[in-house]
Amino acid sequence: MAKKLLIVESPAKVKTIRGFLGEGFIVAASLGHIRDLPERELSIDLSSFRPHYTVLPGKSEIVKRLKGLVKGAEALYLATDPDREGEAIAWHLVEVLKPRCPVYRVTFNTITEAAVKAALLSPRRIDAALVNAQQARRIVDRLVGYELSPLLWGRFEGEGLSAGRVQTVGLRLVVEREQEIEAFTSEAYWTLDADVEAREGT
């Protein structure tokens, strides 16, 4: 008998949610993102800004297992985290797993029986706006950081240095402010205080 498949991000949630839903559901975990831009390539078509994703290292077995589960599923419920990253993970799961069964997006903020069951009663589609927002953030990070981060590594010691969309803008603000300070020309000025009194008729 076909069962419904529900995918969450964290394996810690699987056993609890399985207890809520009973025999009609299979609950599995993606362990966060299953694919991303390859680490050592730009992986973005600069003419269209289309990203090229690949399955993350170490995630092949998870993908293989999820593909096997979704193949016999009656329906697929994507219960990844209720934020922009979670929405993108749900989209990536659909892109990679290519399910032939109906797909539903569900979200809940607490792991309680009431919250999980209420979410399953109010499924929706994957929010394309949230997915696109996450992709835009990821693409800008890559476009900015891919060229600038190696420059940092060559000039500064220390691990974990990177240049991304936030650091780069922050650095520009600091540089522009420093340039304003250096270009400032001091000038002498005086403050005059005067007590005046108006005469009647003037």
Side-chain angles (χ1 to χ4, degrees):
M1 179 181 175
K3 296 184 178 183
K4 297 170 184 175
L5 173 62
L6 185 140
I7 299 178
V8 294
E9 288 185 49
S10 170
K13 299 175 182 178
V14 170
K15 187 175 180 181
T16 303
I17 295 174
R18 189 182 291 143
F20 297 155
L21 301 181
E23 296 299 318
F25 275 85
I26 297 170
V27 185
S30 71
L31 280 75
H33 281 275
I34 60 165
R35 69 175 188 168
D36 196 4
L37 300 171
E39 193 171 312
R40 301 194 179 279
E41 301 171 26
L42 182 61
S43 302
I44 297 166
D45 182 341
L46 295 179
S47 64
S48 65
F49 294 103
R50 187 179 299 278
H52 170 67
Y53 297 109
T54 58
V55 173
L56 286 164
K59 289 297 184 82
S60 296
E61 285 301 312
I62 293 169
V63 169
K64 183 178 178 181
R65 179 172 178 271
L66 293 175
K67 279 185 174 181
L69 292 173
V70 81
K71 191 176 289 185
E74 173 188 325
L76 172 60
Y77 290 83
L78 299 165
T80 48
D81 291 352
D83 56 17
R84 184 178 58 191
E85 290 295 317
E87 206 72 21
I89 292 170
W91 177 77
H92 282 294
L93 283 166
V94 171
E95 291 290 302
V96 172
L97 301 180
K98 302 188 185 308
R100 295 185 178 180
C101 59
V103 176
Y104 304 102
R105 174 76 169 114
V106 295
T107 58
F108 37 82
N109 292 303
T110 58
I111 310 300
T112 63
E113 185 171 356
V116 172
K117 288 185 174 179
L120 291 171
L121 292 174
S122 302
R124 60 171 173 82
R125 295 181 177 182
I126 292 173
D127 188 331
L130 285 177
V131 174
N132 289 335
Q134 191 275 343
Q135 287 197 97
R137 181 198 65 78
R138 189 71 187 92
I139 290 168
V140 171
D141 264 346
R142 177 56 61 92
L143 291 175
V144 173
Y146 194 76
E147 298 294 335
L148 291 180
S149 292
L151 182 65
L152 287 178
W153 302 335
R155 292 180 179 242
F156 300 97
E157 292 184 8
E159 296 182 8
L161 288 175
S162 66
R165 71 195 188 288
V166 176
Q167 300 97 320
T168 307
V169 173
L171 178 60
R172 177 168 180 166
L173 291 172
V174 171
V175 169
E176 287 179 350
R177 182 60 178 150
E178 185 62 27
Q179 289 172 339
E180 288 175 5
I181 292 170
E182 290 179 356
F184 177 75
T185 303
S186 61
E187 298 177 1
Y189 67 93
W190 295 266
T191 301
L192 300 177
D193 295 318
D195 291 324
V196 294
E197 186 176 302
R199 292 182 180 179
E200 189 175 342
T202 60

